[in-house]
Amino acid sequence: MFTTRLISGIILVLLAIALVGSGGGILFVSVAAISMIGLFELYRVLEIQKKGPGLLGYGAAVIYYGLLWFECKDYVIMLAIAFLMTLMALYVLTFPKYKTEEIASAFFGFFYVVVMLSYLYQVRVMTDGIYLVWLVFLSSWGCDTSAYCFGMLLGKHKLAPVLSPKKSVEGAVGGVGGAALLGFIFAVFFGSYMREFSNPRLACTVACAIGAVISQIGDLAASAIKRNHGIKDYGKLIPGHGGILDRFDSMLFTAPAIYFALVFLAG
């Protein structure tokens, strides 16, 4: 199991380097595909993957990425409202075929998976995005690794004893510190190439720290959904890791956190 997980992890890292480094249409299509698979995994857990609300969710995801590609982000709110109205129309016109929870789950899944993960691409297309996008990975995966190490060495106080007994407060703090340090080191090497920040070292450090805090919430949120529905993994697509959402759970939160932190820090 460990060997399988290690090999899969290495392959994922290499794919991330290739896709994120390439950017453009290749990264856009990849993020869109990952979002659709992740949305299907979530809808399957919520048991709406083949029902009307779920099908509308897939359609909304396709339209959303179309708006993103053609740089029509001003219409995203309109899409969200139209999607909700369409879901409610389905709800009332077919009543009592669908439950309120199914309608809410379809709307939630669209934002939780599709919109939030899209910020990985949106960070990449920012000015200096070729460098800044790596902060998403540093704050997410760096936080995971640092939190694990600090938790093993110093962990005494449980962070979420019912939801995740192995996670500790010390590990969480170490994860944030480790991610912030990685952001600082990254800026030491690449900060001179960034044009949007007067102090790239400060910006990258703060952004990674914020992303690390949010990433741990994302990790716990994904675990909570699985616990509520009595499953271990979202899928089996990635050997040794589970499904897309099992591997990208924290990144769903980290990507938009990094994006908005950078927008604020650049301003």
Side-chain angles (χ1 to χ4, degrees), residues 65-78:
Y65 273 99
L67 293 176
L68 194 60
W69 178 251
F70 290 107
E71 300 181 357
C72 299
K73 291 191 291 183
D74 292 342
Y75 294 97
V76 171
I77 296 299
M78 185 185 298

Side-chain angles (χ1 to χ4, degrees), residues 19-31 69 121 124-125:
L19 295 174
V20 175
S22 298
I26 294 176
L27 178 61
F28 176 83
V29 172
S30 299
V31 172
W69 178 251
Y121 172 75
R124 180 62 175 82
V125 296

Side-chain angles (χ1 to χ4, degrees), residues 193-208:
Y193 300 103
M194 300 178 189
R195 296 170 292 169
E196 284 293 294
F197 304 97
S198 57
N199 190 338
R201 296 183 183 183
L202 176 62
C204 291
T205 301
V206 172
C208 277

Side-chain angles (χ1 to χ4, degrees), residues 91-92 94-99:
Y91 181 47
V92 299
T94 62
F95 189 85
K97 184 176 181 179
Y98 300 112
K99 298 179 181 179

Side-chain angles (χ1 to χ4, degrees), residues 12 24 81 84 87 102 141-142 151 155 164 170 175 191 194 215 246 257 264:
L12 283 174
I81 294 173
L84 180 58
L87 284 171
E102 293 175 315
W141 294 350
S164 186
E170 292 81 4
M194 300 178 189
S215 75
D246 294 296
F264 176 79

Side-chain angles (χ1 to χ4, degrees), residues 110-176:
F110 168 72
F111 274 93
Y112 176 56
V113 179
V114 176
V115 175
M116 293 179 73
L117 188 58
S118 74
Y119 279 93
L120 176 61
Y121 172 75
Q122 295 189 60
V123 173
R124 180 62 175 82
V125 296
M126 294 176 72
T127 303
D128 301 325
I130 191 172
Y131 305 107
L132 299 176
V133 70
W134 299 108
L135 299 180
V136 176
F137 296 90
L138 289 176
S139 61
S140 181
W141 294 350
C143 176
D144 285 347
T145 303
S146 299
Y148 175 79
C149 294
F150 275 87
M152 289 291 291
L153 293 172
L154 304 172
K156 292 182 180 179
H157 301 87
K158 301 297 182 183
L159 179 64
V162 177
L163 181 58
S164 186
K166 293 184 179 180
K167 294 185 183 297
S168 65
V169 174
E170 292 81 4
V173 173
V176 174

